[in-house]
Amino acid sequence: MAFKIIIFCFMIGLLPIITMATEHWVGGEKGWALGVDYQAWAKGKVFKVGDTLVFKYTPGHHNVFKVNQTAFQNCIVPPPSEALTSGYDVITLVKPGKKWYICGIPTHCSDYSQKLVITVEDGAPAPAPIAPAPPMEYWVGGDKGWAIDVDYQAWAKGKKFKVGDKLVFKYTQGHHNVFKVNQTAFQNCIVPPPSEALTSGHDVITLAKPGKKWYICGFPTHCSDHKQKLVITVEGEAPAPAPVAPAPASPMEYWVGGDKGWAIDVDYQAWAKGKTFKVGDKLVFKYTKGHHNVFKVNQTSFKDCIIPPPSEGLTSGHDVITLAQPGKKWYICGFPTHCSDHKQKLAITVEGEAPVPAPTATAPAPAPGTKDDSNHSNRVTMSAYKIFVGGVVLIWTILTLV
């Protein structure tokens, strides 16, 4: 029996080795922005090696620089090439010690205190084999996006595009589009059939194979006169094909109202007309926080603009709703007169079948402004812990049978 206890205690002693990395969303629901007290946000939090910082902001409005103490205190901005600019910058804390971060947009650090300093504690797990670099996401044209009169070859110069990376073409829906073409069509601005166009305004293309890739805008004169065209070379090897069952179409993400967003005096039924909404798709309601909100209602409340209790409202300004069940869905804005006088309301029909329910562990409550489980300020990875506990229980069971 003493032997069993020794073995069990030894296994328990291994528990600190299991690392539970935490994901810290800088600034919480306010994100990386002006006028936020980031030291107050960081106070009381424990940052450890292996944790990640997520800087969330509107691309082009802010950026992130990792600096030293002197640059932090004096708001000295490093060269632009060192900036993180994606709007969703994830930094893994790989070493213990002080870490300093600032926004490099003029006056944001000096006048608005958009800066963060933290202390990272030791606790790194044993070194593991270095994994390949994760895929990159390139926003074509940077903060200028996909537009006319931009030198896209200058933008692409010096960048290494690899198999698995993604290109994001961001533009005002209805003002541009994206076609993938061959070299001849690229050189002569020959536009393919309209059915081949990408038109969402936020088109994401995964680079699946190596070689030359050509893209153009198909609007008249945009390619020929305004050089709205891009050619890149993709490095790497195509992944080996694996036998897989035919997969269903990827879920769509619909930005409600297109470039107008969720606002008053927009004809949302006209926007929805012709679109096919399916189970698994997402609706994104984008608006100025505090000026609007989103309520999911029934048909009667939709027709008569009856506002549910405030606790049921989504208010983040970037509310994402996953369409989990087929059938009619109704949404309204709960601000006074927005629904009744300004028609800020949307009704859609969702096609498809509800997924077969499966037994799942109880999930944490959703963060404000979302449906389903997404956008938590701090999420702890528990998989390793569960595996460890399961192993301890198994060993103990075996020992009791000895």
Side-chain angles (χ1 to χ4, degrees):
M1 183 63 185
F3 175 74
K4 296 178 185 178
I5 294 174
I6 292 171
I7 295 296
F8 184 76
C9 292
F10 173 75
M11 294 300 296
I12 293 298
L14 292 177
L15 184 59
I17 299 175
I18 304 300
T19 317
M20 294 182 291
T22 301
E23 187 177 74
H24 302 276
W25 287 58
V26 176
E29 62 177 11
K30 295 179 181 178
W32 186 236
L34 303 178
V36 179
D37 187 345
Y38 289 102
Q39 294 322 117
W41 169 81
K43 188 176 181 181
K45 291 180 172 62
V46 178
F47 303 91
K48 294 188 175 182
V49 169
D51 289 355
T52 54
L53 300 180
V54 180
F55 292 81
K56 185 76 172 64
Y57 55 90
T58 303
H61 290 205
H62 305 284
N63 55 29
V64 181
F65 284 92
K66 184 173 184 286
V67 295
N68 59 25
Q69 185 174 9
T70 301
F72 178 87
Q73 292 174 337
N74 298 283
C75 291
I76 300 169
V77 180
S81 60
E82 296 180 23
L84 302 177
T85 60
S86 74
Y88 186 93
D89 303 325
V90 181
I91 298 176
T92 300
L93 305 174
V94 295
K95 294 182 180 180
K98 285 276 192 180
K99 309 294 174 185
W100 300 271
Y101 307 92
I102 66 172
C103 178
I105 303 293
T107 75
H108 285 201
C109 173
S110 57
D111 296 353
Y112 297 97
S113 298
Q114 192 173 357
K115 55 202 295 192
L116 169 67
V117 56
I118 62 172
T119 299
V120 180
E121 298 181 1
D122 204 351
I130 298 175
M136 294 288 292
E137 185 175 85
Y138 293 97
W139 286 56
V140 175
D143 56 356
K144 295 179 181 177
W146 185 238
I148 59 174
D149 301 321
V150 177
D151 188 344
Y152 289 103
Q153 295 323 119
W155 169 81
K157 188 176 181 180
K159 293 180 172 64
K160 289 187 176 182
F161 303 94
K162 295 185 178 181
V163 169
D165 290 348
K166 294 180 179 180
L167 300 180
V168 180
F169 292 82
K170 189 76 174 65
Y171 56 90
T172 302
Q173 192 176 29
H175 289 203
H176 306 283
N177 55 27
V178 182
F179 284 93
K180 184 172 185 282
V181 296
N182 59 25
Q183 185 173 9
T184 302
F186 178 85
Q187 292 174 338
N188 298 284
C189 291
I190 301 170
V191 180
S195 60
E196 299 181 19
L198 301 177
T199 60
S200 73
H202 187 98
D203 303 327
V204 181
I205 297 176
T206 301
L207 304 174
K209 295 182 179 181
K212 286 275 191 181
K213 310 294 173 185
W214 299 271
Y215 306 93
I216 67 173
C217 178
F219 273 59
T221 76
H222 284 201
C223 173
S224 57
D225 296 351
H226 296 284
K227 306 302 180 186
Q228 193 173 356
K229 55 200 296 191
L230 168 69
V231 56
I232 62 172
T233 300
V234 180
E235 301 178 359
E237 297 181 1
V244 293
S250 299
M252 293 289 291
E253 185 176 85
Y254 293 97
W255 286 56
V256 175
D259 57 350
K260 295 179 181 177
W262 185 236
I264 60 174
D265 302 321
V266 177
D267 188 344
Y268 288 103
Q269 294 322 118
W271 169 81
K273 188 176 181 180
K275 293 179 172 64
T276 302
F277 301 95
K278 295 185 178 181
V279 169
D281 290 348
K282 294 180 180 181
L283 299 180
V284 180
F285 291 82
K286 190 76 173 68
Y287 55 91
T288 302
K289 187 176 180 180
H291 290 204
H292 306 282
N293 55 28
V294 182
F295 285 90
K296 185 173 184 283
V297 296
N298 58 26
Q299 187 173 12
T300 301
S301 296
F302 179 82
K303 288 180 178 177
D304 300 322
C305 290
I306 300 170
I307 312 299
S311 60
E312 298 181 18
L314 301 178
T315 60
S316 74
H318 187 98
D319 303 328
V320 182
I321 297 176
T322 299
L323 303 174
Q325 301 285 342
K328 283 278 192 181
K329 310 293 174 185
W330 300 273
Y331 306 94
I332 65 174
C333 178
F335 272 59
T337 76
H338 284 202
C339 174
S340 57
D341 297 351
H342 297 284
K343 307 301 179 188
Q344 193 172 356
K345 55 201 295 191
L346 168 68
I348 63 171
T349 300
V350 181
E351 300 179 359
E353 297 181 1
V356 178
T360 58
T362 303
T370 65
K371 294 290 184 183
D372 299 324
D373 48 351
S374 60
N375 289 347
H376 293 283
S377 295
N378 292 297
R379 295 178 293 187
V380 181
T381 304
M382 297 295 292
S383 299
Y385 177 78
K386 292 176 182 177
I387 293 171
F388 172 78
V389 172
V392 171
V393 172
L394 178 61
I395 291 172
W396 180 252
T397 302
I398 293 172
L399 290 173
T400 60
L401 297 176
V402 176

